[in-house]
Amino acid sequence: MFQIELQSHFSAAHAITIGGVREPLHGHDWHVTAVIQARTLDDEGLLLDFHAVKHALDEILAAFHNRNLNEVAPFTELNPTAENVARYLASRLAAAVTRMGAPLPPERQPKLVRLRVPEAVGCAAIWRAD
């Protein structure tokens, strides 16, 4: 089994609701780490091209950079907790990884297995594939 890990970040504000009370708007530098896995490598010794995956992740994050998450879909309807941010980013990146792996045989299909989103030092939400 092989894994690659990529990191990117974005800066954004949010105000989550806890116990029915909305906290004050505040910002974070969200540092995202994604782990992609496959059983084998291609003929060039690659799981996937780091640059292609990083580009896909950066495109996903661009919609949120320097924004108030509460004003950007899907967080206009969804509480923008770190957990929900991790789940949303994972769903988008997993779809991109699947598209990248589409021409590969089943045994070579890459899969997003983990996505980590720290909200602050020592506090992170982690999404893991089932």
Side-chain angles (χ1 to χ4, degrees):
M1 195 68 67
F2 295 90
Q3 293 183 335
I4 59 172
E5 181 178 287
L6 296 102
Q7 298 178 350
S8 194
H9 73 281
F10 66 102
S11 299
H14 71 161
I16 65 173
T17 301
I18 302 174
V21 177
R22 189 174 196 164
E23 67 182 12
L25 182 68
H26 61 281
H28 298 284
D29 289 323
W30 305 76
H31 296 273
V32 179
T33 303
V35 178
I36 298 162
Q37 178 173 295
R39 291 197 176 281
T40 62
L41 303 177
D42 68 13
D43 293 339
E44 295 176 323
L46 297 172
L47 190 152
L48 280 177
D49 179 359
F50 276 110
H51 300 290
V53 179
K54 177 89 164 61
H55 179 72
L57 179 57
D58 287 344
E59 279 190 340
I60 295 164
L61 300 181
F64 304 113
H65 188 58
N66 290 328
R67 303 282 307 273
N68 174 353
L69 295 181
N70 299 76
E71 298 174 351
V72 181
F75 303 109
T76 52
E77 303 294 325
L78 186 64
N79 198 13
T81 63
E83 295 87 343
N84 280 334
V85 170
R87 178 176 33 201
Y88 177 77
L89 297 178
S91 71
R92 294 282 314 278
L93 186 58
V97 167
T98 298
R99 285 190 301 275
M100 288 178 208
L104 301 172
E107 68 277 4
R108 271 274 302 121
Q109 290 296 317
K111 180 179 179 184
L112 178 68
V113 294
R114 186 172 183 265
L115 190 127
R116 182 175 188 268
V117 181
E119 184 181 86
V121 174
C123 301
I126 300 171
W127 172 93
R128 289 184 4 170
D130 293 340

